[in-house]
Amino acid sequence: MSRLPLLSLLVFPLLALSLALYAQSSLATFATASPFGFKLPLAVSTFVTFVQAQIQAPFSTGQQNTDELSTHQSPEKVVDVESNGHADARAPYSRHIIAVGDIHGDFDNAQKVLQMAGVVDENNEWSGKVDVFVQTGDVIDRGDDTIDLFRWFDELREQAEAVGGIMLTHLGNHEIMNAIGDWRYVYPAEIESFGGVAARQKVLSSGWLGKAWATNYTVASRLPLHPSLGPPNTDYPPSNTSPHQKANTGPLSHAAFAFVHGGLAPTYPDLVPFPSAINNLGSSLLHKLRKRAPQPPPHPPNAYPGLPAGSTREEVRLYGSDGPLWYRGWAESEEAKICSQIDEVLQKTGTRRMIMGHTPNFEHVVSRCEGKAIIIDTGISHAYGGVLSALSITYNLIPVKGGGWKEQEIVKALYSEADDELVIEVERDLVEDLW
Ligand SMILES: *[C@@H]1O[C@H](CO)[C@@H](O)[C@H](O)[C@H]1NC(C)=O
């Protein structure tokens, strides 16, 4: 405990008693007060004003949140509301996210990238230095380290969860190609690493890798930058019964990023609710692929098996050229065209930026429309020989003395052999209630 809250307990026992009800949020705010201009020793009057502001802040939030509390305020009730997901209502919040694009069977380069970005330590274990690690798909093909890579990700996910970290992993078009039996980009040495074609088919369908894809990989993600918006993949628009409904319709509603392998096309019909509309189709398609018995003989040398006979139109569209796994419009179309289209997609999906892999640029991360579309596939696999890169996102939400918040987003491209590049930095002043 720092000296400032200790002082408050000694000098203001009565205030401290009432404050005890909000111990977590109030003390957290005190402890971090110095960056906002408070210096020891504090003038007593300033201090009392500050304490009063802290006591009032949770009340006003509670009042706005729940009509039934507005007439009979009691501290206990307010604490209930506050502890219901908003215990740190006025505390500063910060989150650090690292995203990495296509890895394509190259464990060595993947490990260099994750170490460089601080996701893992020198033993390739979760470092705890980042809050969220995102990979946007295409871990498989063009290299022979598939088993090592996916096993490593399984371990990292458990290490992350053990310390409150989050790993968001995605299916790329190459994962689905492999599940289909479209093995055009599978190295012979990689098939051998599984013990042959039949063994590989089994691992990808009913085996550990097919299960991992079905359980822990999605086609798209919506990652809220602030916890008031809910955990990863909280849908937008929110349902009326969602506990995060209010925050997701307030000033922070779009403080979230979309992650997907190819892109969310303006013409794609199943964008919302985002991301569950897409991910439900991804799950049902993957389920049908994994249940095919027998698994079709892979192409080549056999004929391209295509999607299972019972696939729905929506599932076929998901895997189509304007579907989230294959779309390249944000990477390849002219700026004038895409920048007039992207706002609508971001608006619909409750996001500020869309982060994608799939279309490589071997020199750098590509930012388009002022960072609304960011393409992070730099061909890091030795199959391509592009630069080793990662995207770093830092989000800060800082309470402003006297009310309101300052919100910061800093997005940078990190390179193993070049200086960091600032992709976009935005600051916003928020004056309304946030949740
Ligand atoms: C999915 O991830 C969890 C950790 O979040 C892990 O315990 C579980 O075994 C994984 N499931 C599969 C099928 O790999």
Side-chain angles (χ1 to χ4, degrees):
M1 195 187 275
S2 73
R3 285 155 68 200
L4 190 50
L6 254 183
L7 184 69
S8 76
L9 296 179
L10 295 170
V11 181
F12 301 105
L14 286 176
L15 285 174
L17 264 181
S18 46
L19 264 176
L21 291 164
Y22 323 108
Q24 282 306 94
S25 58
S26 301
L27 290 180
T29 310
F30 275 107
T32 50
S34 50
F36 312 109
F38 294 94
K39 292 199 174 68
L40 287 172
L42 277 173
V44 170
S45 62
T46 313
F47 185 66
V48 170
T49 313
F50 182 64
V51 169
Q52 284 167 345
Q54 292 313 305
I55 293 171
Q56 281 152 17
F59 274 91
S60 55
T61 313
Q63 251 162 356
Q64 310 262 338
N65 270 348
T66 30
D67 292 342
E68 68 269 27
L69 284 181
S70 56
T71 44
H72 310 290
Q73 285 287 347
S74 81
E76 289 78 9
K77 275 190 175 171
V78 174
V79 168
D80 280 342
V81 171
E82 294 300 310
S83 63
N84 192 11
H86 306 311
D88 292 316
R90 285 297 292 173
Y93 177 78
S94 182
R95 183 175 251 186
H96 185 211
I97 301 153
I98 293 286
V100 171
D102 305 35
I103 289 172
H104 282 309
D106 191 334
F107 185 86
D108 274 356
N109 283 353
Q111 128 195 329
K112 283 182 195 156
V113 166
L114 268 66
Q115 286 186 12
M116 179 250 322
V119 176
V120 300
D121 61 20
E122 66 280 3
N123 301 316
N124 288 337
E125 298 190 342
W126 186 263
S127 74
K129 288 183 188 160
V130 308
D131 301 303
V132 188
F133 168 55
V134 186
Q135 201 282 327
T136 54
D138 276 13
V139 172
I140 205 167
D141 277 352
R142 304 183 197 275
D144 41 24
D145 299 335
T146 306
I147 295 176
D148 288 347
L149 283 163
F150 283 109
R151 288 284 193 206
W152 183 36
F153 279 9
D154 284 350
E155 286 165 19
L156 281 184
R157 192 187 316 277
E158 299 205 338
Q159 293 166 3
E161 281 177 11
V163 295
I166 295 172
M167 217 165 122
L168 288 180
T169 44
H170 297 86
L171 298 167
N173 60 304
H174 280 265
E175 276 77 30
I176 300 295
M177 286 168 81
N178 274 270
I180 290 172
D182 181 352
W183 289 17
R184 273 174 289 163
Y185 300 93
V186 185
Y187 280 19
E190 200 255 15
I191 297 179
E192 285 318 306
S193 75
F194 282 85
V197 169
R200 190 174 188 272
Q201 283 185 316
K202 189 160 178 224
V203 171
L204 265 50
S205 54
S206 58
W208 65 270
L209 190 49
K211 283 183 192 153
W213 288 350
T215 314
N216 290 326
Y217 289 72
T218 60
V219 174
S221 293
R222 176 173 180 256
L223 176 64
L225 298 171
H226 191 270
S228 66
L229 297 172
N233 295 336
T234 298
D235 265 341
Y236 189 90
S239 74
N240 288 335
T241 55
S242 162
H244 309 290
Q245 199 262 351
K246 183 162 189 259
N248 277 285
T249 48
L252 283 185
S253 64
H254 286 60
F257 285 4
F259 293 93
V260 64
H261 180 67
L264 306 172
T267 51
Y268 183 69
D270 298 308
L271 285 175
V272 296
F274 181 74
S276 68
I278 285 175
N279 289 340
N280 290 341
L281 291 170
S283 300
S284 61
L285 178 60
L286 185 66
H287 181 78
K288 286 174 188 172
L289 289 167
R290 292 179 57 222
K291 295 293 157 200
R292 274 213 260 206
Q295 287 281 306
H299 163 74
N302 306 285
Y304 174 61
L307 296 182
S311 305
T312 64
R313 271 176 46 183
E314 289 78 13
E315 288 161 357
V316 172
R317 183 80 183 247
L318 180 87
Y319 194 65
S321 61
D322 76 347
L325 293 156
W326 283 99
Y327 187 64
R328 293 188 198 273
W330 304 120
E332 291 182 341
S333 300
E334 282 171 33
E335 193 104 342
K337 181 176 168 205
I338 63 164
C339 299
S340 68
Q341 297 175 324
I342 196 159
D343 286 334
E344 192 193 331
V345 175
L346 297 175
Q347 185 57 39
K348 273 192 204 167
T349 54
T351 56
R352 283 190 188 147
R353 310 181 193 285
M354 192 192 304
I355 320 288
M356 298 149 276
H358 191 46
T359 307
N361 177 303
F362 302 129
E363 272 118 52
H364 52 84
V365 164
V366 174
S367 162
R368 308 198 71 193
C369 314
E370 294 169 326
K372 290 174 187 170
I374 302 175
I375 300 109
I376 60 172
D377 178 8
T378 59
I380 68 176
S381 169
H382 59 69
Y384 287 113
V387 299
L388 305 192
S389 72
L391 193 75
S392 154
I393 299 151
T394 306
Y395 179 79
N396 296 311
L397 189 66
I398 303 156
V400 174
K401 188 186 159 195
W405 302 82
K406 186 176 286 296
E407 193 194 34
Q408 282 180 322
E409 263 177 74
I410 304 159
V411 184
K412 285 182 191 168
L414 312 180
Y415 300 104
S416 67
E417 284 170 18
D419 292 342
D420 300 352
E421 260 171 22
L422 186 66
V423 175
I424 185 104
E425 180 166 359
V426 183
E427 269 196 23
R428 297 179 189 82
D429 291 315
L430 301 171
V431 292
E432 299 160 67
D433 267 357
L434 302 185
W435 49 76

